[in-house]
């Protein structure tokens, strides 16, 4: 059955009864999901949830009264097994080459493991396959790692791009930076053991180490090492 509501006013009948099992469309006469909102206007459709509750003195209360979007996977039998998907937010678009609808990114919430550890997985499409790029598991974050056991755990190198000039005004030098990781992922294979751990500065700049907000050790761009001295006094205080 189809129930159409007038857009210009008039008497509205109840939209559905408890036994209603069809789809509802707003902006479309052919909804293909339980609730289908459609618009050809810029930045529409928008789904807005607003809470106007006020606690004494007319001041809006923000503690416990904010609108909620709840995704609930209800297994009324034995409950959800470990690592089950409880809710998914998907980002889809039409493929520019085929025109077909395609899934590009999504956020997945799971119930983790037997220790009631919640998970959020951020997934992106790579070569037509959805790949988990980032996982938040309990209080740990994994990058290219779906089961992080540390506060931050990454499979692969971390690179921090350097500025392209001394003042930083020119923006980031996107092809060179500072890497921490392994020789293989840094492209330093060959003369090096691919398993070697590296702290690697790709640019011709100094590498500094400090404690208590003070410089303690410096390796300059030419390979000289100074301990407890500034570059201007190198060679005068027993440094090397």
């Amino acid at each position: 059955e189809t129930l159409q509501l007038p857009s210009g006013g008039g008497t509205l009948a109840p939209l559905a009864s408890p036994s209603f099992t069809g789809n509802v469309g707003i902006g479309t006469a052919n909804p293909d999901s339980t609730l289908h909102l459609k618009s050809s206007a810029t930045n529409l459709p928008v789904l807005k949830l607003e809470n106007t509750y006020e606690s004494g003195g007319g001041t809006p209360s923000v503690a416990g009264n904010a609108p909620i979007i709840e995704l609930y996977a209800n297994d009324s039998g034995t409950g959800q097994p470990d690592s089950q998907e409880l809710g998914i937010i998907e980002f889809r678009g039409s493929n520019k080459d085929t025109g077909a609808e395609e899934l590009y990114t999504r956020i997945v919430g799971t119930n983790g493991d037997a220790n009631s550890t919640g998970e959020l997985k951020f997934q992106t499409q790579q070569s037509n396959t959805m790949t988990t790029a980032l996982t938040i598991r309990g209080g740990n974050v994994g990058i290219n790692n779906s089961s992080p056991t540390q506060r931050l755990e990454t499979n692969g190198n971390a690179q921090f791009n350097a500025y392209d000039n001394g003042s930083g005004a020119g923006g980031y030098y996107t092809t060179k930076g500072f890497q921490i990781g392994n020789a293989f992922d840094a492209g330093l294979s060959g003369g090096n053991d691919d398993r070697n751990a590296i702290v690697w500065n790709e640019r011709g700049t100094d590498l500094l180490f400090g404690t208590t907000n003070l410089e303690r050790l410096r390796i300059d761009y030419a390979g000289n090492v100074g301990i407890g001295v500034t570059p201007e006094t190198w060679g005068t205080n027993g440094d090397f």
Side-chain angles (χ1 to χ4, degrees):
E1 296 180 358
T2 300
L3 174 63
Q4 294 182 326
L5 305 180
S7 61
T11 302
L12 303 181
L15 177 63
S17 69
S19 61
F20 180 78
T21 58
N23 296 332
V24 176
I26 299 177
T28 176
N30 299 293
D32 60 12
S33 54
T34 307
L35 176 60
H36 186 167
L37 282 65
K38 185 176 181 179
S39 175
S40 59
T42 303
N43 295 328
L44 290 175
V46 173
L47 179 64
K48 182 176 182 178
L49 307 179
E50 181 176 359
N51 181 290
T52 60
Y53 175 82
E54 294 182 353
S55 60
T59 303
S61 173
V62 296
N65 295 302
I68 296 173
I69 297 176
E70 182 176 300
L71 306 179
Y72 178 28
N74 181 10
D75 185 337
S76 58
T78 59
Q80 293 289 346
D82 294 343
S83 301
Q84 294 298 299
E85 296 180 345
L86 305 179
I88 300 173
I89 300 174
E90 293 188 343
F91 301 84
R92 294 175 174 267
S94 56
N95 186 294
K96 67 180 182 64
D97 297 318
T98 66
E101 180 180 306
E102 191 162 346
L103 173 63
Y104 288 98
T105 60
R106 67 177 186 170
I107 302 172
V108 181
T110 80
N111 60 343
D113 55 27
N115 296 319
S116 298
T117 302
E119 286 184 341
L120 274 179
K121 296 181 179 292
F122 294 81
Q123 301 177 336
T124 58
Q125 182 189 138
Q126 296 181 19
S127 302
N128 297 316
T129 301
M130 294 304 297
T131 301
T132 299
L134 185 146
T135 300
I136 302 174
R137 183 183 178 89
N140 299 328
V141 176
I143 299 175
N144 196 29
N145 185 310
S146 59
S147 300
T149 59
Q150 307 299 319
R151 286 292 178 255
L152 177 61
E153 191 168 342
T154 175
N155 287 350
N157 285 11
Q159 175 162 315
F160 308 89
N161 291 332
Y163 282 112
D164 66 359
N165 60 40
S167 66
Y172 285 107
Y173 196 115
T174 57
T175 59
K176 292 184 179 180
F178 174 69
Q179 291 195 49
I180 300 175
N182 62 80
F184 181 81
D185 286 338
L188 301 175
S189 302
N192 294 280
D193 188 327
D194 291 344
R195 299 166 297 179
N196 285 344
I198 65 165
V199 176
W200 196 265
N201 187 0
E202 296 178 306
R203 300 207 67 189
T205 54
D206 297 352
L207 184 61
L208 282 63
F209 299 84
T211 62
T212 323
N213 204 32
L214 294 172
E215 179 183 334
R216 305 298 186 183
L217 184 149
R218 177 186 295 236
I219 305 174
D220 76 0
Y221 66 93
N224 300 310
V225 179
I227 301 176
V229 295
T230 61
E232 291 77 12
T233 62
W234 284 14
T236 63
N237 295 317
D239 54 281
F240 58 92

